Amino acid sequence: MEFDTASAVERLDQMVIPIETEVRLAIRTERAVECANRVVTEEIPDGVVLPGGDSYSFVRFCMETALSISVAKLFEQPQPRKKGGRMQSLSERYFCSDIASLPICAWLLSFDGVREELVVRSPSWLSEACARDIDEALTAYARCQQGGDREVDLKLIKDYRDTHLTHLYWEDRPEAVPTYNDLFQLVDVARDFIVHVRRAVTHRENALDLYEERHDREFAAFWRPALLASSGIKN
């Protein structure tokens, strides 16, 4: 396999839409969880017993699990494998993987010559904007890295996926549970990242801010009357 600029750009072309699709799912799930939690914590007084509370807790658990799966997929990194008696190089890991994720996409954006190729192939009136979008995408991704303002232990996300979401072990595994804050921050990073990558690679907008606002309104319209009525509180 050729590890060159053309191959890197081709892979970017292929993974933008799958990543955006998963980001949209993560945004919807995050908004569903957050809207429900907002009603319970802000509008239902302490001491009020929620009839069917176990059912609500289970539905929330399912939403949290779905969100964890989306985040784990979006931030998955290809694991090193042996090839011909030696471990794969970083280039081999990222070029040979069929995974579509933010770490791989960010690495490809930084690959030698990719920035220049994306700028050259963009319409002349968008070349400067393309360069800015690449910088903004990499800046957004850096926010979740060590030292970033939204630093999250990505190994924790991987460990949680491996020990709770994708495998069932017969012996105990160490607890590795990301917090709401971890998951929500990573969804925000993924959203900001793919907004800029979509523009840089396809020269099109995806309006994820409007998408998020619309689903926030829709979920609030469902959860608020449902939970308040169930609690006996007049809406």
Side-chain angles (χ1 to χ4, degrees), residues 64-65 67-69 71-73 75-77 79 144-146 150-167 173-186:
E64 293 165 2
T65 300
L67 182 59
S68 298
I69 292 172
V71 168
K73 289 162 69 176
F75 287 87
E76 184 173 2
Q77 300 186 48
Q79 299 304 301
C144 69
Q145 303 299 294
Q146 186 173 9
R150 299 199 175 188
E151 177 184 344
V152 175
D153 184 357
L154 295 180
K155 184 177 183 301
L156 174 66
I157 304 299
K158 179 184 182 303
D159 289 346
Y160 181 65
R161 182 202 67 180
D162 292 345
T163 58
H164 290 75
L165 302 179
T166 60
H167 304 294
R173 287 291 191 273
E175 286 292 324
V177 182
T179 65
Y180 273 144
N181 193 50
D182 290 334
L183 297 174
F184 289 178
Q185 290 202 77
L186 289 175

Side-chain angles (χ1 to χ4, degrees), residues 92-231:
E92 288 173 325
R93 283 170 55 194
Y94 280 74
F95 266 110
C96 296
S97 176
D98 57 0
I99 293 170
S101 69
L102 267 70
I104 296 178
C105 192
W107 186 84
L108 290 171
L109 283 173
S110 302
F111 190 79
D112 187 39
V114 166
R115 175 193 178 92
E116 292 77 9
E117 177 62 25
L118 290 176
V119 170
V120 166
R121 78 175 194 176
S122 65
S124 58
W125 63 90
L126 291 177
S127 57
E128 291 185 6
C130 177
R132 286 196 302 270
D133 277 318
I134 294 170
D135 290 338
E136 290 293 337
L138 294 175
T139 298
Y141 181 68
R143 287 158 54 199
C144 69
Q145 303 299 294
Q146 186 173 9
D149 65 345
R150 299 199 175 188
E151 177 184 344
V152 175
D153 184 357
L154 295 180
K155 184 177 183 301
L156 174 66
I157 304 299
K158 179 184 182 303
D159 289 346
Y160 181 65
R161 182 202 67 180
D162 292 345
T163 58
H164 290 75
L165 302 179
T166 60
H167 304 294
L168 185 63
Y169 295 100
W170 59 267
E171 59 182 356
D172 290 338
R173 287 291 191 273
E175 286 292 324
V177 182
T179 65
Y180 273 144
N181 193 50
D182 290 334
L183 297 174
F184 289 178
Q185 290 202 77
L186 289 175
V187 172
D188 288 347
V189 167
R191 177 201 60 210
D192 295 346
F193 177 84
I194 200 61
V195 163
H196 294 292
V197 172
R198 175 69 184 269
R199 283 203 297 254
V201 175
T202 71
H203 318 125
R204 294 182 180 181
E205 297 278 354
N206 51 24
L208 288 184
D209 54 342
L210 300 179
Y211 181 84
E212 185 170 1
E213 291 174 6
R214 174 164 63 86
H215 285 291
D216 192 73
R217 291 193 301 270
E218 288 183 358
F219 285 122
F222 170 77
W223 281 119
R224 189 170 185 276
L227 291 173
L228 292 182
S230 178
S231 305

Side-chain angles (χ1 to χ4, degrees), residues 7-78:
S7 298
V9 171
E10 181 181 2
R11 285 182 174 270
L12 281 171
D13 287 334
Q14 294 170 337
M15 70 174 57
V16 167
I17 298 304
I19 291 176
E20 182 182 326
T21 300
E22 194 65 37
V23 170
R24 287 178 179 271
L25 177 60
I27 288 173
R28 290 184 67 181
T29 311
E30 179 203 39
R31 289 298 85 208
V33 173
E34 179 62 14
C35 286
N37 286 343
R38 191 164 60 225
V39 175
V40 171
T41 59
E42 296 179 6
E43 301 196 50
I44 298 179
D46 292 341
V48 173
V49 177
L50 185 65
D54 286 344
S55 296
Y56 167 71
S57 295
F58 182 70
V59 170
R60 188 179 63 183
F61 167 76
C62 293
M63 293 190 295
E64 293 165 2
T65 300
L67 182 59
S68 298
I69 292 172
S70 285
V71 168
K73 289 162 69 176
L74 286 167
F75 287 87
E76 184 173 2
Q77 300 186 48

Side-chain angles (χ1 to χ4, degrees), residues 3 83 86-97:
F3 303 153
K83 182 179 180 181
R86 63 174 178 80
M87 297 302 293
Q88 286 179 315
S89 67
L90 187 65
S91 294
E92 288 173 325
R93 283 170 55 194
Y94 280 74
F95 266 110
C96 296
S97 176

